[in-house]
């Protein structure tokens, strides 16, 4: 029997890549997205990529997970076997300036979704958590049973939503929940048709480098070069978005095949740390473009070095990242080169 999956936030960066893989694996997919941080063109690209036949298995609904009526309409019309829940706001700085926006969207939105899922007896969930729940880790690699800490309102929503998921499972053991803690998702679909398209000036390293490479920004600010690391710049665990997408498909399949899932958290990372300067070098190599840099003071709140322990993902999900930073930069550049303005048209002069 074909399984039917509701994907919240499926028009976004990680969502679109995951939907492609779900359709390729034979799932039926319904997206609900309010297009707060995405465009419908991304969903059209997903259709183009999977072709007309598999596109018949994809539905897109413009809607907001905070709106019970939007959700009720979907759940009363279709039976969903599981939900992958990506929808949420994710900009750390914005969350510090506008915490209510984050509490409303991420917390209220998720709770509303879970209430409707329970009402319609849909109790299988894969949730987008984040390495942000490790705060500033004292020990690396980050292991799932470390003590958790929120560093900002965005991180607090992820931390609370993990706790909320545990409470829901404790109250009703029919729920099966996998909390996936992503490290730093980068790269793009190998076709160059899908990728990350942030609104305004990017906050994150790779979209920023990409915009320097295509001439939209003059230089990269490197935040901190006095960290106690190999070259003085901060170290992260970058993970190819297609590896992440496959991690979701694997987690979903576990929900259908394993009985005693309960509610558990699992890292999705490569287990390898890469410094900012190493990432810049790898991107220059992949693109043939020079990325001018300017050394700047550390960014407040940034950790020195973060990377994942990958043992639990290997053991519980039988999943391991395939790609390294060279492939991440190759595919990021392929997307950038074909879509220097993302999904948008270039501005008219
Ligand atoms: P994204 O912004 O590209 O995608 C999120 C999608 O959710 C967008 O399409 C947005 O329009 C939609 N959305 C937001 N609020 C909504 C609402 N109330 N109702 C319906 N749709 C709504 O972000 P992404 O990078 O694809 O991230 C997906 C998830 O993964 C988020 O929950 C994010 O917090 C989490 N995450 C992302 C990263 C990262 O660095 N990209 C790291 C860790 C965790
Ligand atoms: N950096 C720069 N210049 C920039 C942007 C970033 O030097 O213009 C540096 C940062 O200081 C940091 C590294 O590049 O050392 C990575 O920064 P990102 O902003 O790309 O990623 P973060 O690790 O800070 O955080 C991201 C998301 C968080 C999420 C975390 C773990 O923004 O929401 O990954 O998943 F929690």
């Amino acid at each position: 029997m074909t399984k039917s999956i509701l994907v919240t936030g499926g028009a976004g960066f990680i969502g679109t890549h995951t939907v492609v893989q779900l359709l390729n694996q034979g799932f039926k997919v319904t997206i609900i997205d309010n297009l707060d941080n995405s465009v419908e063109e991304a969903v059209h690209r997903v259709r183009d990529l999977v072709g007309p036949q598999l596109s018949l298995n994809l539905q897109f609904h413009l809607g907001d997970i905070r709106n019970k009526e939007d959700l009720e309409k979907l759940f009363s019309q279709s039976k969903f076997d599981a939900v992958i829940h990506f929808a949420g706001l994710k900009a750390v700085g914005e969350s510090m300036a506008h915490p209510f926006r984050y509490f409303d969207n991420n917390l209220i939105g998720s709770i509303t979704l879970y209430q409707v899922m329970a009402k319609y007896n849909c109790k299988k969930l894969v949730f987008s958590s984040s390495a942000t729940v490790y705060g500033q880790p004292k020990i690396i690699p980050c292991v799932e049973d470390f003590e958790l800490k929120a560093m900002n309102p965005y991180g607090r929503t992820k931390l609370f939503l993990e706790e909320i998921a545990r409470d829901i499972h404790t109250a009703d053991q029919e729920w099966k929940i996998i909390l996936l803690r992503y490290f730093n998702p980068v790269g793009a679909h190998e076709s160059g048709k899908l990728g990350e398209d942030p609104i305004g000036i990017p906050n994150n390293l790779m979209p920023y480098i990409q915009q320097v490479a295509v001439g939209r920004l003059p230089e990269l600010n490197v935040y901190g070069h006095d960290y106690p690391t190999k070259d003085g710049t901060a170290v992260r665990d970058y993970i190819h978005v297609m590896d992440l997408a496959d991690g979701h498909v694997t987690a979903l399949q576990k929900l259908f095949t394993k009985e005693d899932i309960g509610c558990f958290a699992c890292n999705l990372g490569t287990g390898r740390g890469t410094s900012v300067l190493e990432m810049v070098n790898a991107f220059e190599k992949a693109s043939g473009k020079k990325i001018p840099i300017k050394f700047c003071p550390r960014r407040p709140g940034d950790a020195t070095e973060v990377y994942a322990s990958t043992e639990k993902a290997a053991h519980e999900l039988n999943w391991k990242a395939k790609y390294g930073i060279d492939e991440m930069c190759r595919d990021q550049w392929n997307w950038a080169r074909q879509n220097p303005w993302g999904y948008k048209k270039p501005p008219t002069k």
Side-chain angles (χ1 to χ4, degrees):
M1 268 289 281
T2 309
K3 298 270 193 256
S4 184
I5 314 301
L6 179 66
V7 180
T8 75
F13 171 44
I14 305 169
T16 42
H17 292 80
T18 304
V19 169
V20 167
Q21 296 305 73
L22 288 171
L23 292 167
N24 283 332
Q25 293 293 318
F27 289 97
K28 280 174 81 173
V29 176
T30 299
I31 294 174
I32 179 168
D33 199 301
N34 65 0
L35 301 182
D36 182 275
N37 196 36
S38 52
V39 288
E40 205 173 336
E41 169 64 15
V43 181
H44 299 322
R45 302 264 183 113
V46 169
R47 290 188 194 285
D48 286 349
L49 271 174
V50 298
Q53 200 57 39
L54 289 181
S55 280
L56 297 173
N57 289 339
L58 174 62
Q59 285 193 36
F60 172 76
H61 290 272
L62 182 63
D64 195 305
I65 57 162
R66 287 166 295 178
N67 185 343
K68 226 175 209 164
E69 278 166 24
D70 287 351
L71 291 169
E72 290 263 5
K73 210 162 109 192
L74 286 181
F75 277 83
S76 58
Q77 284 167 5
S78 318
K79 188 193 165 302
F80 297 115
D81 296 294
V83 174
I84 303 184
H85 177 28
F86 292 110
L89 302 177
K90 60 167 185 177
V92 170
E94 185 193 44
S95 82
M96 290 162 83
H98 303 287
F100 285 123
R101 196 164 135 69
Y102 278 68
F103 301 150
D104 179 44
N105 201 83
N106 294 7
L107 295 179
I108 310 276
S110 301
I111 293 166
T112 309
L113 171 70
Y114 301 158
Q115 284 173 324
V116 177
M117 285 174 68
K119 177 171 169 189
Y120 288 88
N121 205 27
C122 172
K123 296 182 180 173
K124 293 188 180 69
L125 171 70
V126 177
F127 171 67
S128 298
S129 188
S130 165
T132 191
V133 297
Y134 293 115
Q136 300 248 20
K138 288 189 203 76
I139 311 168
I140 34 176
C142 299
V143 180
E144 284 82 352
D145 60 7
F146 275 8
E147 202 183 319
L148 305 180
K149 188 170 168 33
M151 305 288 291
N152 49 62
Y154 164 70
R156 212 169 322 281
T157 65
K158 292 294 176 194
L159 193 60
F160 285 178
L161 285 166
E162 285 206 1
E163 297 292 356
I164 285 168
R166 290 185 195 100
D167 288 343
I168 290 173
H169 176 261
T170 304
D172 177 354
Q173 315 263 315
E174 278 181 21
W175 281 82
K176 291 184 178 182
I177 306 175
I178 303 182
L179 310 165
L180 295 177
R181 294 181 183 156
Y182 319 150
F183 281 67
N184 289 55
V186 299
H189 190 270
E190 49 271 16
S191 65
K193 298 218 177 309
L194 296 177
E196 187 171 12
D197 182 20
I199 295 168
I201 307 248
N203 297 306
N204 299 118
L205 180 66
M206 285 305 274
Y208 204 107
I209 292 181
Q210 168 183 331
Q211 292 198 13
V212 174
V214 298
R216 287 172 64 179
L217 292 167
E219 62 191 0
L220 171 74
N221 297 319
V222 174
Y223 298 128
H225 57 116
D226 56 352
Y227 283 107
T229 59
K230 42 195 155 187
D231 58 22
T233 63
V235 167
R236 295 290 182 274
D237 186 341
Y238 298 93
I239 173 166
H240 197 298
V241 65
M242 292 308 289
D243 271 332
L244 212 52
D246 288 339
H248 285 78
V249 177
T250 312
L252 190 68
Q253 277 156 346
K254 275 278 165 221
L255 292 180
F256 294 122
T257 51
K258 198 163 180 275
E259 265 319 304
D260 56 341
I261 292 279
C263 173
F264 76 91
C266 195
N267 292 337
L268 292 185
T270 64
R272 285 186 296 275
T274 304
S275 74
V276 174
L277 291 182
E278 284 173 332
M279 216 54 191
V280 171
N281 287 337
F283 195 89
E284 285 184 335
K285 202 170 90 195
S287 64
K289 299 275 174 189
K290 180 84 197 131
I291 307 295
I293 60 169
K294 184 166 101 192
F295 286 118
C296 301
R298 294 181 183 192
R299 197 169 61 173
D302 270 358
T304 303
E305 187 161 8
V306 184
Y307 56 87
S309 158
T310 56
E311 275 176 36
K312 193 168 178 187
H315 187 253
E316 296 290 334
L317 302 179
N318 203 13
W319 173 90
K320 198 169 169 292
K322 292 198 288 280
Y323 299 114
I325 58 166
D326 291 339
E327 288 106 344
M328 298 177 209
C329 291
R330 176 197 68 197
D331 294 337
Q332 183 108 23
W333 173 240
N334 191 29
W335 152 251
R337 174 172 79 73
Q338 293 185 47
N339 307 271
W341 294 91
Y343 296 113
K344 297 171 275 300
K345 292 194 174 63
T348 45
K349 296 220 170 86

